[in-house]
Amino acid sequence: MKLNHKDKKIWLIFTICFAIASIAISAFFYAQEIDGKKSKAYQIAEAYAVELKRDFSYVTSSTATMEKLVIAENGQVSNRDFKHAAKLLKKDYVSLIELVPNGVVTNTYPFQPSGKNNDLNKVKEAKQVLDFVKKKKQTVIYGPMPLLNAKRCVVVMNPVTLKNGKFWGYVMMTVTLPDVYEHTLKSLREMGYDYCIDTNKSPLSKKRVQVESSLGKGKTFKYAVGYTFSYGSCQWTLNIAPQDGWRSRKALLLWGLMLVIDFLISGLLYLLLHTHEQKEELDRLAFQDSLTGLLNRRGFLKELNRRTKLDPKQVMTMAFIDLDDFKFVNDVYGHVVGDLALKNLARHLTQVFPDNSLLGRTGGDEFCVVVPSDDETTKELIEQAVEGVQEFTAYDKKIRYTISAGYADYPSQADSIKQLTILADEALYAAKIHGKNAAKHYAPRMKRITRAQLGFNVKNVAHGLPGGLMIYRADGHSREILFANDYLIDLLGCKSYEDFLAYTKSSYDNFILKEDFAAAEQAIAQQREEKLTDPDKSLALNYRVRTKDGRLLHLSTLGRYVEDEYYGDVFVVFFLPGDLRLIRIDH
């Protein structure tokens, strides 16, 4: 059936408008998606640039460790001490560790045959870089350059200045490429990205050289997204692009669907639904913590404001919950385990608090929960959340940690959400100062608490003790020395903690004179048994030790078994020179 003129005109106008609209909408959608992909790629490039810095951080920290050894030995490092330290610091991707006083290589690990040690001052480019390192007193990454085994490397140069202010020379580590960051490049490939890394060979050169490229040596790609960062006094750039190019299959599919599905209404509906999904995803990314899945600080405050606007007279309790000694967990077990601890804590809090609670991660290791009640049950929930020791398994190890909380009530204690936040924060610090692993309800006296107390740590206190302090494992299987303060190290004639561990072979068994060991061991074993019935008993006894320089010392000691949340049973011993009668001290 033929259409009349009017219908044909309407149909033609509609068809042309629909085609124009389809093309325009598809083009807009394509541009938006490509912009989104590039934005995501930039975030990935930034994140993996951080990973590249972390890949190099072990080497730079290792050169700093070797620097400390040189300073401690006043520049006179024996080949034995150097070899021992270098062996500990050596990794698969570290091909060479060198000591270079005044630009001349004197010590290498692994050992290099005679004749291969060089005076770097005779190599023009190397001398210029060494002079820059000396002048700026900055660690420099120099390279890339070829190795004899056809691999490439960079050299990390760390300047060393002795305690008297005299410049000594350099600690250098040669790092093979791409071994040092192969896992980072592998992750990029698995995510579907091509990559290209370039840098300037040294701080003295502005010319950029290619370090790595997934497309092959010397090859680059167009339309890459890059992130530039500084490390080792050089500028590094990581460029990435999708392996299949900047494509938008969704835009093409949308255009085809809009032509097939019942013209403008179905097409508009598809576009609206897709736009709505995009908005939800953006909201999720903006307000959700990616690690724990909880609300982030922004999302938490937004939801809290929404609830208070709906019911301004809502009774509630706000609690700040903090993972105790989170820095210790990160330092001992690594940041990956630290992230697992945060995820474990998030699951724990989700299980403890009711579904109508508002829960979020508002800081690094800080969580906040708002319970719509201020009765005794709420306080019991908060107490239940922090009591005991939390535990999870990571890499076949049991990781234990504790948490602290501070909480306040609204409106009985605060007349605004802002004030409620301040009071809960003060209560949290009160819990921290009073020993941690506790929940504190806000009280006015907490305003007088000084947070300076939190600045003191074990190292500060142990350094100022008027006597020796040592902690060693006492679990029945090991007597590994875990800590010794400077007083005890000096008392035994050792130069450093590392020297002390080397002298004692890291074991309490090698600390006491052999003639006195049996009697001391018998007394310690008896105190360990009595600990089961009276944990407050301490042990005082006398024995002799031989210092590193051969002197015989008589020591008086006071010790006690302690159960540590991270190391299990340990024995804490306080030392003073001189003799005391063998007595027991009951508290």
Side-chain angles (χ1 to χ4, degrees):
M1 182 183 294
K2 292 184 178 181
L3 299 174
N4 57 38
H5 179 73
K6 182 181 179 179
D7 289 339
K8 283 184 179 181
K9 186 177 181 180
I10 294 174
W11 179 82
L12 183 60
I13 293 174
F14 177 82
T15 303
I16 293 173
C17 289
F18 177 76
I20 294 173
S22 297
I23 294 172
I25 292 172
S26 298
F28 173 79
F29 186 84
Y30 174 84
Q32 288 291 101
E33 187 171 359
I34 295 303
D35 287 345
K37 285 187 174 184
K38 288 185 176 180
S39 176
K40 180 181 178 182
Y42 180 82
Q43 293 173 359
I44 292 173
E46 181 179 11
Y48 277 90
V50 173
E51 288 299 316
L52 288 174
K53 293 174 71 173
R54 287 180 180 173
D55 293 336
F56 282 117
S57 66
Y58 175 81
V59 182
T60 55
S61 64
S62 297
T63 60
T65 300
M66 189 64 75
E67 175 192 2
K68 292 178 181 178
L69 174 63
V70 175
I71 294 172
E73 298 292 337
N74 197 29
Q76 303 298 318
V77 183
S78 68
N79 192 56
R80 178 184 177 185
D81 289 345
F82 167 74
K83 183 178 179 182
H84 178 72
K87 187 175 182 180
L88 293 175
L89 296 173
K90 180 76 166 62
K91 295 289 184 181
D92 292 341
Y93 50 78
V94 176
S95 62
L96 196 62
I97 302 175
E98 300 171 301
L99 295 185
V100 192
N102 295 317
V104 179
V105 179
T106 59
N107 301 80
T108 62
Y109 184 86
F111 175 73
Q112 300 294 301
S114 178
K116 290 194 175 182
N117 292 350
N118 298 317
D119 183 352
L120 300 182
N121 295 301
K122 296 180 180 180
V123 182
K124 182 179 179 181
E125 184 178 21
K127 185 179 186 307
Q128 290 174 343
V129 178
L130 291 175
D131 289 341
F132 176 88
V133 176
K134 177 180 179 181
K135 180 179 179 181
K136 298 294 184 179
K137 291 184 171 58
Q138 296 177 356
T139 300
V140 166
I141 296 180
Y142 175 44
M145 60 187 71
L147 286 172
L148 295 177
N149 58 4
K151 286 192 173 184
R152 294 169 299 113
C153 72
V154 293
V155 180
V156 179
M157 300 176 172
N158 191 342
V160 180
T161 302
L162 301 180
K163 292 180 181 179
N164 60 9
K166 181 180 178 181
F167 181 79
W168 176 83
Y170 313 86
V171 173
M172 292 173 42
M173 285 194 179
T174 302
V175 183
T176 56
L177 304 178
D179 299 354
V180 65
Y181 44 64
E182 177 58 32
H183 67 284
T184 299
L185 302 183
K186 181 181 178 182
S187 296
L188 281 171
R189 291 192 296 268
E190 290 174 349
M191 292 182 69
Y193 285 93
D194 281 318
Y195 55 81
C196 179
I197 303 173
D198 59 67
T199 185
N200 50 324
K201 191 173 182 180
S202 76
L204 303 176
S205 173
K206 294 183 179 180
K207 183 179 179 181
R208 308 287 288 187
V209 294
Q210 187 182 88
V211 182
E212 304 292 343
S213 175
S214 59
L215 301 180
K217 184 178 180 180
K219 295 183 179 180
T220 60
F221 38 69
K222 297 181 180 179
Y223 311 116
V225 173
Y227 184 82
T228 299
F229 62 95
S230 298
Y231 200 81
S233 301
C234 296
Q235 294 292 315
W236 297 74
T237 300
L238 172 62
N239 291 300
I240 66 172
Q243 293 172 352
D244 57 353
W246 300 102
R247 298 180 182 179
S248 176
R249 295 190 180 95
K250 292 182 179 179
L252 182 61
L253 179 62
L254 174 63
W255 184 70
L257 288 173
M258 290 181 69
L259 291 178
V260 173
I261 299 175
D262 199 16
F263 298 110
L264 189 58
I265 296 177
S266 298
L268 289 175
L269 180 60
Y270 177 87
L271 184 60
L272 289 173
L273 290 174
H274 188 80
T275 303
H276 179 69
E277 290 177 359
Q278 279 191 319
K279 183 178 181 302
E280 284 189 339
E281 178 64 15
L282 290 174
D283 286 344
R284 187 187 68 80
L285 293 174
F287 300 120
Q288 187 180 62
D289 175 46
S290 59
L291 178 65
T292 63
L294 301 178
L295 292 171
N296 59 19
R297 183 179 184 85
R298 183 180 176 188
F300 181 86
L301 293 177
K302 180 181 178 181
E303 178 60 19
L304 180 58
N305 289 331
R306 185 190 71 81
R307 292 190 183 189
T308 51
K309 284 181 180 179
L310 289 176
D311 186 3
K313 297 182 180 180
Q314 170 72 59
V315 175
M316 67 181 74
T317 296
M318 175 182 285
F320 279 131
I321 300 170
D322 190 67
L323 195 153
D324 294 331
D325 302 315
F326 182 60
K327 184 179 184 302
F328 179 86
V329 175
N330 273 333
D331 291 345
V332 173
Y333 301 109
H335 290 277
V336 174
V337 175
D339 288 346
L340 293 176
L342 292 174
K343 293 171 72 173
N344 179 263
L345 176 54
R347 285 193 298 270
H348 169 67
L349 297 178
T350 303
Q351 293 169 358
V352 170
F353 291 102
D355 294 339
N356 62 347
S357 301
L358 179 60
L359 181 61
R361 180 187 175 200
T362 53
D365 62 331
E366 183 180 83
F367 295 77
C368 188
V369 61
V370 172
V371 182
S373 171
D374 64 352
D375 57 16
E376 288 299 321
T377 302
T378 299
K379 294 170 181 151
E380 290 173 2
L381 281 175
I382 297 173
E383 295 281 351
Q384 177 187 345
V386 304
E387 68 181 1
V389 178
Q390 307 303 317
E391 185 177 276
F392 67 97
T393 301
Y395 306 111
D396 297 327
K397 293 182 179 178
K398 287 188 177 180
I399 312 299
R400 306 172 74 197
Y401 65 90
T402 61
I403 54 180
S404 298
Y407 60 100
D409 303 325
Y410 175 87
S412 61
Q413 291 184 308
D415 54 14
S416 68
I417 298 301
K418 182 177 180 181
Q419 185 184 12
L420 180 65
T421 302
I422 294 172
L423 300 186
D425 184 56
E426 290 181 353
L428 173 60
Y429 273 90
K432 291 284 188 182
I433 289 174
H434 287 84
K436 305 178 182 178
N437 195 198
K440 293 290 183 180
H441 192 194
Y442 175 77
R445 66 179 182 278
M446 292 178 181
K447 290 183 179 179
R448 297 189 294 272
I449 293 176
T450 170
R451 300 190 182 190
Q453 283 180 256
L454 295 176
F456 290 100
N457 55 40
V458 173
K459 183 178 179 181
N460 301 140
V461 176
H463 180 74
L465 282 176
L469 178 66
M470 181 168 69
I471 303 173
Y472 65 91
R473 291 186 189 272
D475 55 11
H477 303 288
S478 169
R479 294 183 180 85
E480 177 191 2
I481 295 175
L482 301 173
F483 177 81
N485 71 345
D486 293 342
Y487 184 100
L488 184 59
I489 293 170
D490 293 339
L491 194 63
L492 263 70
C494 297
K495 297 179 180 179
S496 65
Y497 182 65
E498 290 75 16
D499 189 27
F500 174 81
L501 292 181
Y503 177 62
T504 60
K505 299 179 181 179
S506 300
S507 175
Y508 182 70
D509 290 353
N510 302 313
F511 184 78
I512 306 174
L513 199 68
K514 291 183 178 179
E515 290 83 348
D516 295 352
F517 182 79
E521 183 69 4
Q522 182 179 359
I524 292 171
Q526 184 178 350
Q527 199 267 354
R528 176 181 172 85
E529 293 176 3
E530 293 177 356
K531 170 208 169 191
L532 300 175
T533 57
D534 188 353
D536 290 330
K537 277 196 174 184
S538 298
L539 174 66
L541 54 86
N542 302 319
Y543 51 74
R544 295 170 296 170
V545 300
R546 191 172 298 281
T547 65
K548 187 177 179 182
D549 54 9
R551 292 178 292 114
L552 195 64
L553 284 182
H554 292 260
L555 296 181
S556 302
T557 71
L558 181 65
R560 177 184 291 183
Y561 274 95
V562 176
E563 184 176 348
D564 182 78
E565 60 183 293
Y566 298 105
Y567 293 103
D569 279 353
V570 298
F571 201 74
V572 182
V573 193
F574 184 73
F575 298 87
L576 280 176
D579 287 329
L580 290 175
R581 289 184 305 111
L582 181 60
I583 59 174
R584 293 195 177 277
I585 301 175
D586 298 337
H587 300 282

